[in-house]
Structures are given as C-alpha cells and as structure tokens.
Amino acid sequence: MVRIVPIVLAVLALAGSARAEERAFCPDRPGKGSPPCVLDKWRFQVEVSAADALFSRGGGVSVDDVSYGALELRLGLANTVEGQLTWTPRQWIRARDHGAASTVSGAGDLGLALRWSLNNPDGEGLSVALQPFVVAPTGANGISAEVWQGGVIAPISVPISEVWSLSLAPEIDARANASGSGRHAAYALAAGVGRAVGPVNLGAELWVDVDDDPSGRATKASFDLTAAWTPTALKDIQLDAGAYLGLNRKTPDLELVVGVAHRF
C-alpha cells in the first residue's frame, strides 16, 4: 500500500500536467474564414449555428434564406491533424420575383474535411494549415448542389500584438457548373483582424468570392462583423454572433448568424 500511494500521486500529477498544457479553445465560429488551429488528439468539439438568415432585395426580386441547427463536428486525429463533418438539417428558401413566390426546404449537403497544421497547431504565433474538403450531394432538391464538389483552404493567423491578430483564409474550389454538367474553378479569400477584450473577441473581416462559371463570372463580397464570448467559468464554451453586409448586387444584402461552440 505504501508503494502504491506514490505511484497514484505521480499518475495524477502527470494527468493534471497534461490537462494544464492542453491547447487554447479555438472555435471555427464565427466568420467566413477558417482558423489554422487543430484540436488536441482525441478532443471532440461541436459547433452549432442556431440560426443563419440571409436577406436579398432588389430589382423586384427578394430572397429569404434561413437555416437552423447547422452542425460542424471536429475531432482531433493526431497532434497536427483533425477531421471535420458539416451538415445543415434544415434550410428554408423563399424567393419572390415580381409577385410570383416559390419556396423550397430541406436538409443541406454533407461536408467532410481534414485540417493539417503546417506550423503551430495550437494557433499561437505564426500558424499555418491546409484544409482539403469535399461536399457530398446528400441534400434536398432545390437545396443540394446535386454533384460532388471540393476544394482546399489554407488558413493563416499572425499575431500583431497581445490583443490584436490578423487572419487570412485563401481558398480554391471545384464547383458545379450552373448548366448541371461539369465543374469549374472558383476562388475565395477571407481576411480579417480580431481583438480580444477580456473574455470577448471582436472581429472585422472582408470576404471576396470569384466564381468562374462558364456562363459568366460572378463576384461576391461582404464586410463582416463578429463577436464571440467565452465565459470565464466555462472555458470550453463560446457564444457568438455575426452580421455580414453585402458589398455588391451579387451578394445577399444582409446575413445574420448566432451560434455556440462546445469542446469536450
């Protein structure tokens, strides 16, 4: 019994040390970019968009696009790799074109991704990652892209000071042609700055998306404002909100999002 006590104490000390050295909580939410941080091996994280609503108005046409409960599930697979699964269980789109209205609803497509850290998987200092992804056409008619799509994101974060940070997320995709046959290249970039104010992180982001569909190039752009709060007593939970303001006619006029992230 005398010999067992020191062994038990040593194991508890090692466990406590390992726990104390876990990476800082780093959700993907909010914002349109992706961070380069990777979960600790075998840590699991759930991120849920309680509501995501887009509103477009102009030229006699209006579109309301609302989704509920959009999920992102993240699992640390290795010290520098995590797996991700995304899915929207319910999306509702109502369009009105000069008085003629149409509505579609249903589940969205299923997304699968890997995030591989190239430098600083904890997101501290200069942090860089690669994130290849695919999207399977599992959604409802009128919601799904109806073909397999995919791409690669290269998230980057750079500390500017103790409270300010810079983030970049360049992306290249293979998207379905509007004709329904074939695919084409598309490019996106989310660039933003963030500032920590106690337990609250405030962010401002510029997002640009260039879609080179054979029928004609379409460019979207938005200016995004985000806020995320991690309660001091609940270091593995984040509550967040965002407002995305469209900068041209191709982009929804306004998008509002609220959600939560929880690390287990």
Side-chain angles (χ1 to χ4, degrees):
M1 182 67 180
V2 174
R3 294 179 179 178
I4 293 175
V5 171
I7 294 174
V8 172
L9 292 176
V11 171
L12 291 175
L14 289 173
S17 174
R19 186 68 173 176
E21 294 174 1
E22 70 180 1
R23 293 168 186 165
F25 185 36
C26 185
D28 280 7
R29 303 182 52 83
K32 296 178 180 176
S34 296
C37 52
V38 172
L39 288 176
D40 291 288
K41 187 177 180 179
W42 303 132
R43 291 304 296 270
F44 178 61
Q45 191 159 306
V46 177
E47 305 191 21
V48 182
S49 176
D52 186 335
L54 297 90
F55 306 98
S56 297
R57 302 288 186 273
V61 178
S62 67
V63 178
D64 298 334
D65 183 344
V66 183
S67 59
Y68 306 96
L71 286 172
E72 179 178 4
L73 307 180
R74 300 170 57 190
L75 176 66
L77 302 176
N79 289 332
T80 58
V81 180
E82 73 171 51
Q84 302 177 358
L85 181 150
T86 57
W87 180 64
T88 300
R90 182 69 174 177
Q91 185 172 356
W92 178 86
I93 303 173
R94 179 180 175 83
R96 185 180 293 274
D97 187 348
H98 295 87
S102 62
T103 302
V104 295
S105 63
D109 289 339
L110 178 69
L112 300 170
L114 288 175
R115 181 178 295 159
W116 173 35
S117 174
L118 303 180
N119 189 55
N120 289 335
D122 56 6
E124 300 295 331
L126 173 61
S127 185
V128 183
L130 286 178
Q131 183 174 315
F133 67 91
V134 295
V135 180
T138 60
N141 291 335
I143 302 292
S144 173
E146 299 183 351
V147 298
W148 284 83
Q149 302 184 101
V152 179
I153 307 171
I156 303 167
S157 67
V158 183
I160 301 174
S161 69
E162 291 185 358
V163 294
W164 286 94
S165 62
L166 171 68
S167 62
L168 300 169
E171 175 180 347
I172 182 169
D173 300 342
R175 298 183 189 172
N177 291 342
S179 64
S181 175
R183 293 173 181 78
H184 63 274
Y187 315 90
L189 174 66
V193 292
R195 189 185 194 285
V197 183
V200 177
N201 280 289
L202 303 176
E205 176 184 74
L206 179 64
W207 173 79
V208 178
D209 182 280
V210 179
D211 191 318
D212 273 335
D213 191 274
S215 64
R217 171 176 288 187
T219 300
K220 297 180 180 179
S222 67
F223 177 66
D224 310 331
L225 298 173
T226 62
W229 173 50
T230 299
T232 304
L234 301 171
K235 64 184 182 66
D236 290 324
I237 293 179
Q238 173 188 277
L239 304 176
D240 61 72
Y244 310 149
L245 310 175
L247 299 179
N248 65 6
R249 293 183 178 180
K250 295 290 186 179
T251 312
D253 299 319
L254 176 65
E255 180 177 0
L256 301 174
V257 299
V258 291
V260 61
H262 184 14
R263 180 174 63 173
F264 295 89

